[in-house]
Amino acid sequence: METVKIGLIGAGRIGKIHAENIARRTFGAQLTWVADAFEAAAKETANTYGAQATSDPRRVLDDKTVQAVVICSPTDLHAKQIEEAAQAGKDIFCEKPIDFDLVRIDAALNAVRQTGIRLQIGFNRRFDPSFDRAHQMIQGGRIGRPYLVRITSRDPKPPPPEYIKASGGLFADMTIHDFDMSRWIIGREVEEVFAFGSNLVAPEIEQLGDIDTAVVSLRYRGGVLGAIDNSRQTAYGYDQRVEVFGSEGTVMVGNRAPTQVTVGDKNGFQGDVPMYFFLERYEEAYRLEMRHFIECVREKKTPSVTGADGRAPIVLAHAAKRSMTEKRAIRIEG
Ligand SMILES: NC(=O)c1ccc[n+]([C@@H]2O[C@H](COP(=O)([O-])OP(=O)(O)OC[C@H]3O[C@@H](n4cnc5c(N)ncnc54)[C@H](O)[C@@H]3O)[C@@H](O)[C@H]2O)c1
């Protein structure tokens, strides 16, 4: 089997996860470069996996032996780095979101189209085995015609103010994953969005002009309805639940706990709280999405999460913000 040589751009929180998955947990892949603006961060990850380190991503793009790059830099760099990598002929895995600005997203996607390289966006939840199974059941007609999709997505604790400032707001940072999940799991595009937002858990988020709690109602093609609820804080860990209800039944995916142990006594039955956060809950999904990307690069296939899938949730995030501000439903054009 041909070994796919990969360069990582951005070795922070998520970059380190992908580095480990490429170097240690995917057959036929080799991490050959790690680029990070902070050379010490690049060196630390590169040294762990026997790759070369640089503070300049251009060196990765100039290396003709590198077939693909994995972009995990801060969001405001993604669109530009996609364009540069496409022009260098590299296949690209890019973390979500591509950008917050649709003009910049379109320029990046245009570069991808013109160069014909492969682009996969990091919507990892699609690769979670439980969500994947639910998706297959729904697409296979197991619950008949979908009527409703409900998604609960709540973080265990708010991120620091520095993160909030650059996050693009709750809808673009957090609900983006749920917008993607809902479009994918029922296989329909959204036609209309109505959103409410509130500040209930973190005063510092309100001071920065963002919200920490939200409910988004959606209407999809064919009249299917959806409801997403988000919170930046829970008392019990990472809450990730999905239900799709249809004419012949319902499919539900619940939370995952670190163990499946339940203890019972005269006061009732009790189990573990859900896994703490996304790094634990989606560990498997991160590995499987990278495996899919590397397989697509090797076998010259189109990745299942495309650039268009990266663009659609940003359109919805903007619509949700507008709906919240203008207190009315927003129709999605096109
Ligand atoms: N799919 C997911 O579940 C998921 C989870 C976390 C983060 N993300 C996304 O991944 C991206 C990175 O998030 P993070 O939490 O890892 O951030 P981070 O701040 O931990 O890491 C970003 C890294 O990029 C480096 N960097 C800065 N400028 C650079 C440049 N010009 N070239 C190369 N590297 C540069 C920084 O030094 C840092 O090490 C964000 O867009 C975020 O939205 C996705």
Side-chain angles (χ1 to χ4, degrees):
M1 189 197 281
E2 179 207 351
T3 297
V4 176
K5 294 198 164 97
I6 298 181
L8 177 73
I9 299 177
R13 207 164 47 142
I14 199 72
K16 285 190 185 126
I17 302 287
H18 292 316
E20 164 88 14
N21 285 331
I22 295 163
R24 300 252 164 94
R25 301 169 90 195
T26 309
F27 216 60
Q30 191 187 351
L31 184 70
T32 58
W33 277 104
V34 177
D36 194 293
F38 289 98
E39 198 156 4
K43 277 189 178 149
E44 187 197 326
T45 299
N47 290 345
T48 307
Y49 304 109
Q52 298 182 79
T54 177
S55 58
D56 180 7
R58 192 73 246 169
R59 291 195 62 197
V60 182
L61 302 183
D62 287 344
D63 183 339
K64 299 263 180 300
T65 68
V66 171
Q67 283 165 273
V69 293
V70 171
I71 299 175
C72 302
S73 51
T75 298
D76 60 340
L77 299 175
H78 292 179
K80 180 174 143 275
Q81 289 178 339
I82 288 176
E83 282 188 57
E84 289 170 354
Q87 277 145 15
K90 312 297 183 198
D91 288 333
I92 303 164
F93 176 98
C94 182
E95 265 307 337
K96 52 57 59 176
I98 299 175
D99 202 279
F100 302 126
D101 182 321
L102 289 168
V103 174
R104 285 161 60 99
I105 293 178
D106 288 341
L109 297 188
N110 207 22
V112 167
R113 241 186 324 272
Q114 279 175 0
T115 52
I117 56 99
R118 283 163 199 85
L119 172 65
Q120 178 173 329
I121 303 300
F123 283 122
N124 53 298
R125 294 184 194 177
R126 294 187 184 202
F127 295 86
D128 173 74
S130 301
F131 292 133
D132 184 32
R133 177 101 188 273
H135 175 250
Q136 285 174 28
M137 284 179 165
I138 294 155
Q139 298 306 316
R142 181 73 191 270
I143 58 152
R145 217 179 111 214
Y147 291 159
L148 279 169
V149 52
R150 289 172 57 94
I151 299 179
T152 288
S153 182
R154 305 175 193 150
D155 287 353
K157 69 167 190 196
E162 286 314 309
Y163 179 95
I164 293 286
K165 276 185 207 161
S167 71
L170 182 129
F171 296 125
D173 180 53
M174 204 174 157
T175 327
I176 182 173
H177 278 289
D178 310 310
F179 288 139
D180 178 66
M181 172 63 66
S182 80
R183 292 177 58 241
W184 169 72
I185 207 155
I186 58 169
R188 277 162 211 256
E189 294 299 337
V190 175
E191 285 186 339
E192 207 167 3
V193 174
F194 198 113
F196 284 106
S198 205
N199 291 90
L200 300 173
V201 299
E204 65 279 12
I205 293 182
E206 185 168 18
Q207 279 155 21
L208 292 168
D210 197 4
I211 52 167
D212 55 43
T213 310
V215 170
V216 184
S217 301
L218 305 125
R219 193 164 52 75
Y220 303 79
R221 274 188 202 149
V224 181
L225 298 181
I228 296 170
D229 78 78
N230 296 128
S231 172
R232 284 283 191 191
Q233 183 166 292
T234 74
Y236 51 82
Y238 194 38
D239 195 354
Q240 298 281 288
R241 290 172 280 151
V242 173
E243 179 187 6
V244 181
F245 165 71
S247 57
E248 307 299 321
T250 190
V251 174
M252 289 178 258
V253 180
N255 282 315
R256 274 177 67 188
T259 79
Q260 305 311 310
V261 177
T262 304
V263 60
D265 61 18
K266 65 181 186 314
N267 296 315
F269 284 79
Q270 203 176 10
D272 289 349
V273 291
M275 286 172 165
Y276 182 64
F277 212 173
F278 61 91
L279 294 179
E280 296 86 5
R281 169 65 183 84
Y282 292 119
E283 188 189 359
E284 220 173 352
Y286 291 126
R287 181 168 53 78
L288 292 171
E289 73 174 348
M290 198 47 65
R291 184 190 286 181
H292 174 71
F293 175 63
I294 289 161
E295 193 180 296
C296 288
V297 173
R298 183 187 301 108
E299 297 175 14
K300 305 194 189 323
K301 295 192 301 198
T302 304
S304 62
V305 195
T306 64
D309 291 322
R311 186 185 194 278
I314 290 297
V315 172
L316 298 178
H318 287 308
K321 183 147 190 218
R322 216 172 125 207
S323 166
M324 179 179 74
T325 311
E326 297 179 12
K327 299 183 177 14
R328 65 184 182 92
I330 303 292
R331 275 197 72 78
I332 307 297
E333 306 301 333

